[in-house]
Structure formats: C-alpha cells, structure tokens
Amino acid sequence: MVSGKFERYAIFYTPPPGEFADAGARWLGWDSAQGCEATQPQVAGLDVARLTRRPRKYGFHATLKAPFYLAPEQDADALVTAVATFAAHHKAQPTGPLLLRADHGFVALRPRTTPQGLRELAAAAVRAFDGFRAPLSDEDLARRRSVRLSPRQDAQLLRYGYPHIFEDFHFHMTLTGPLRGEREETVLTALQGVVDPALPANPVVDAITLMGQDAGGMFHQIACRPLRG
C-alpha cells in the first residue's frame, strides 16, 4: 500500500541502476532509488552542495508529468496500477546524445533537440495521469505565474497544472540550480569529470518511474516500469 506515505507524486524517467544513475545521485547528493543522501564530490572553488540545493530533492531524473497532489477521489495504489498500464502500451524512445548545457541559467543534460517520439511519450504521460491530479491551489498558480509565461503556456498551466508541456516540452536532466556567481565554464568542467565518463553511448527512455515526495520534501522512487508497448 502506498497511500498516506507521500504528499505529492510525479512521473519521471530515472536511469536504471548503474554507473549513470550513481553519478547523477552523487553529484546531486540524493539517491532517489535508495531514499538516502549520497556523498557529493569535492570541487575546488565550487560549492557543490549550494549549487545543487534546488534540484537535489528530486533526484537524478527527467520530468514526464510534473509533481502534483493527488485528487481527493483518487488513491496512490490506483496510480501504481495506471503506471504499469501506461508502460505496457508505450514503447521506449531514444533521446539522442546527451550534452552538458547551461541553458536557461542552469546546467542540465539535454539532447540537441528533443526527438519527436520522446515528445509524444511525454505528452501521453501528461494526459494519461492528469485524472489523478488535484487542481492547483491559488498559491501554486501564482508561483507558476511569477515567471513570464506565453499565452499557450498559461493555458497549459490552467488545464494540466504545468506550463512546459507538449510543444514547450524539452527533455532535460537537471544538475544544478540557477548559476548565481559561478562561472559557467567552471561548473561544466566539474560536471564533465563526474558525468561524462558515465554517460551511456545510446541513451534511451526505456522505463517510467512513479515518484513520491515525503514530508521532508525529498522524492523517492515508488515503482519503475519498463516501456514494453
């Protein structure tokens, strides 16, 4: 039984156990698979703990369906079942080569462009799990609107609880919070030493993971299901 253990839920891609997943967990300082802290690397002239404070709670991942509160009429065990059903009907999607890029003021692993198949998978996840989502609170809505949104993004926020979906979806695996004072080159060089050796040669989104956020704000892997469609 899952109900009652977590405050919010999300649908992520998380790398399978291995060198890539371990490298991301160590850099961020949180292992979402094990539900525990990970020892971060020491980098001269760089405060890795501060730099990763914002993304740490999510663990190493790419978002498919952004975090949401469960609707009152739903329960988490039904969500676990829905994840298995979704995975059985959708197939794995390659990402293309992942590159360390400092776009939008933070560093993430991104493909040069998001493949259409991956964009369609994310769109399907947004729609498939939206029935489990409680409506946004006024506070959440105001927080999302505190940054500039296009009319399309605002409409997506109102309908699906998150603005960066469909045409506005860009696959990325976040590795830092906002770069404030750090030199981009310094951060990228540090990450290259940690992440590049572990990057898979042909990365593919081959599973989806149901995540749960605990009372302390940290996300845990609840169920990971391979995409077998």
Side-chain angles (χ1 to χ4, degrees), residues 48-66:
V48 177
R50 191 202 64 77
L51 186 63
T52 57
R53 179 184 58 81
R54 182 176 293 187
R56 180 176 302 119
K57 67 179 182 179
Y58 301 102
F60 190 40
H61 79 287
T63 298
L64 298 175
K65 175 73 172 176

Side-chain angles (χ1 to χ4, degrees), residues 51-220:
L51 186 63
T52 57
R53 179 184 58 81
R54 182 176 293 187
R56 180 176 302 119
K57 67 179 182 179
Y58 301 102
F60 190 40
H61 79 287
T63 298
L64 298 175
K65 175 73 172 176
F68 57 90
Y69 291 97
L70 204 60
E73 68 274 14
Q74 296 288 357
D75 69 80
D77 296 307
L79 183 53
V80 171
T81 300
V83 167
T85 300
F86 182 93
H89 290 88
H90 291 82
K91 63 182 181 179
Q93 298 293 336
T95 70
L98 295 176
L99 308 172
L100 284 167
R101 292 166 48 183
D103 296 351
H104 308 290
F106 65 95
V107 178
L109 283 167
R110 307 172 184 266
R112 292 191 185 278
T113 58
T114 300
Q116 183 60 26
L118 189 51
R119 193 181 296 278
E120 291 171 359
L121 176 67
V126 167
R127 293 188 175 100
F129 298 105
D130 202 59
F132 289 92
R133 179 181 63 83
L136 289 178
S137 67
D138 291 342
E139 292 79 8
D140 285 335
L141 189 59
R143 178 174 57 85
R144 290 294 184 190
R145 283 173 160 168
S146 66
V147 297
R148 183 182 296 274
L149 299 176
S150 69
R152 179 177 68 198
Q153 290 169 342
D154 193 70
Q156 290 167 172
L157 173 66
L158 291 172
R159 173 62 182 84
Y160 291 102
Y162 192 67
H164 305 297
I165 56 176
F166 306 141
E167 291 181 53
D168 297 294
F169 169 79
H170 300 284
F171 181 88
H172 64 281
M173 305 183 76
T174 303
L175 290 165
T176 76
L179 301 181
R180 294 194 179 105
E182 296 88 2
R183 293 185 61 214
E184 181 180 306
E185 297 81 1
T186 302
V187 177
L188 289 173
T189 298
L191 271 165
Q192 284 165 358
V194 173
V195 175
D196 275 5
L199 274 174
N202 298 295
V204 59
V205 173
D206 56 2
I208 61 168
T209 304
L210 174 63
M211 307 292 293
Q213 184 184 28
D214 66 23
M218 307 305 289
F219 278 80
H220 302 250

